[in-house]
Amino acid sequence: MEEDYFSIDAILAENQKIACRFTIDIPDMGHLGGGGERDITRASTLQLPVWLVYTIVLSNWADMIMPPAFGSKVRNALKAEPCSVRLASLVGAGGLWYGFGKTILEMLADEGKQEMSNLLTNTFRKRLVEVIDQAQHFAALGPAGGVGPTGDSAQSFREGLDATERELFALAQEGSKRMKRWYEESDKPRR
């Protein structure tokens, strides 16, 4: 996390709340959960910001509950067909699913780290092919960028992408347009 200190994407990815189940009683800290209780009791569950969860989990005061964006339902859907999952709708803050996953990964034990790492890596690898393919397809539609029903499908596709994937989509689309322009210009007869 320290290497991402000045990264806006890292800040946005950490702008999430995570449920924690406390393993000990903590007196005079009930205000953390925003409730009216004075104390945090053992086995109580609170939604806390990521920056606070680091300290609480690493101090063994609470156990982190896996966020729904990485729960079994999402993991199973990603294993079955990664391209069908709209990652942007799983987390807030601009759809930084991979960034949030990296944040969660840092708080997991070794066994959980490996599983989360595999999930993030495999999802990215499998979706990258589709992202590049779609970027090239929509770039080939010309300067209109796919206005009309095709443009609607391009917009719909982009809206389901994680912020990292959207950035790669834009880069691939621009690269494809430049390649096409270069090819057309080099095809002209020289005088």
Side-chain angles (χ1 to χ4, degrees), residues 72-83:
S72 61
K73 185 177 180 181
V74 172
R75 285 195 315 266
N76 290 337
L78 288 170
K79 287 176 186 174
E81 182 53 49
C83 295

Side-chain angles (χ1 to χ4, degrees), residues 77-98:
L78 288 170
K79 287 176 186 174
E81 182 53 49
C83 295
S84 68
V85 179
R86 294 178 59 88
L87 296 181
S89 63
L90 295 177
V91 293
L96 292 163
W97 186 81
Y98 293 107

Side-chain angles (χ1 to χ4, degrees), residues 24-191:
I24 61 172
D25 293 333
I26 303 178
D28 299 323
M29 295 300 277
H31 63 278
L32 286 178
E37 300 295 321
R38 181 173 180 203
D39 302 330
I40 296 175
T41 58
R42 184 176 189 272
S44 62
T45 302
L46 296 177
Q47 292 275 347
L48 300 171
V50 171
W51 60 267
L52 185 56
V53 172
Y54 277 117
T55 304
I56 291 173
V57 169
L58 295 176
S59 298
N60 291 323
W61 297 347
D63 295 324
M64 178 185 67
I65 298 171
M66 188 61 70
F70 302 98
S72 61
K73 185 177 180 181
V74 172
R75 285 195 315 266
N76 290 337
L78 288 170
K79 287 176 186 174
E81 182 53 49
C83 295
S84 68
V85 179
R86 294 178 59 88
L87 296 181
S89 63
L90 295 177
V91 293
L96 292 163
W97 186 81
Y98 293 107
F100 187 41
K102 182 180 175 230
T103 302
I104 297 295
L105 182 117
E106 294 172 3
M107 290 186 276
L108 296 173
D110 290 338
E111 182 180 299
K113 275 186 183 183
Q114 188 60 48
E115 185 180 343
M116 178 66 83
S117 177
N118 289 342
L119 175 71
L120 295 171
T121 304
N122 291 337
T123 300
F124 185 77
R125 282 183 182 156
K126 291 175 182 173
R127 289 172 61 95
L128 183 61
V129 173
E130 182 74 13
V131 169
I132 301 301
D133 184 47
Q134 292 293 326
Q136 291 174 345
H137 169 73
F138 292 121
L141 294 177
V147 177
T150 308
D152 294 341
S153 63
Q155 183 64 24
S156 175
F157 177 77
R158 283 190 297 261
E159 287 174 356
L161 299 177
D162 167 83
T164 305
E165 293 171 336
R166 279 193 304 272
E167 190 173 330
L168 290 171
F169 180 90
L171 289 170
Q173 195 171 31
E174 181 61 27
S176 183
K177 286 178 182 178
R178 287 182 180 191
M179 179 69 141
K180 182 179 178 186
R181 201 168 36 244
W182 172 82
Y183 185 74
E184 289 169 352
E185 289 173 2
S186 66
D187 215 17
K188 293 178 184 174
R190 308 248 185 243
R191 294 179 200 216

